[in-house]
Amino acid sequence: MESVSRDEQNKTVCPIVETIKIIGTEARLLVLRYLFEGPKGFNQLLKESGLSSKTLSSTLKFMEETGIVERRIVSTRPFKVEYVLTAKGKELEGVFKMMGDWGKKWAVNQN
């Protein structure tokens, strides 16, 4: 039987930490919140989220790279793109609901 050192045990990947690495910025949380409502164009996300265009652009790019969001070309004349959640992204909705419920109970209006 193979023995695992304490250092190797501490290097074990934590799924919660890995999830937070993907969704754990305010910008990503906002984008997810609005995409749970359905597909959105860049300008619509910009307006709803209140993010700067640079922040939104880099956030969407990261979310595409991690497989949470898909960029779809809707039309070419005029050129129009929309962002939609992938199946992987849609699965986060339950996590958000639980976080929202916890926040309403414990984090909002706590003085």
Side-chain angles (χ1 to χ4, degrees), residues 52-71:
S52 71
S53 60
K54 182 179 177 181
T55 299
L56 180 57
S57 180
S58 64
T59 297
L60 288 167
K61 183 177 180 182
F62 175 84
M63 294 173 80
E64 284 181 80
E65 290 169 355
T66 56
I68 301 296
V69 169
E70 180 181 331
R71 180 179 183 261

Side-chain angles (χ1 to χ4, degrees), residues 47-110:
K47 181 179 175 183
E48 291 178 354
S49 69
L51 298 170
S52 71
S53 60
K54 182 179 177 181
T55 299
L56 180 57
S57 180
S58 64
T59 297
L60 288 167
K61 183 177 180 182
F62 175 84
M63 294 173 80
E64 284 181 80
E65 290 169 355
T66 56
I68 301 296
V69 169
E70 180 181 331
R71 180 179 183 261
R72 292 184 181 163
I73 297 173
V74 180
S75 66
T76 56
R77 296 202 180 184
F79 187 75
K80 185 176 178 189
V81 171
E82 69 180 12
Y83 294 88
V84 301
L85 292 173
T86 62
K88 182 178 175 180
K90 288 176 184 174
E91 284 193 31
L92 288 167
E93 192 164 15
V95 174
F96 271 59
K97 170 135 180 39
M98 290 171 46
M99 288 172 62
D101 291 346
W102 186 91
K104 287 175 191 170
K105 182 175 182 179
W106 298 105
V108 177
N109 299 321
Q110 297 294 314

Side-chain angles (χ1 to χ4, degrees), residues 5 8-9 14 17 43 49 57 60 82:
S5 74
E8 289 173 329
Q9 288 175 352
C14 174
V17 170
N43 288 331
S49 69
S57 180
L60 288 167
E82 69 180 12

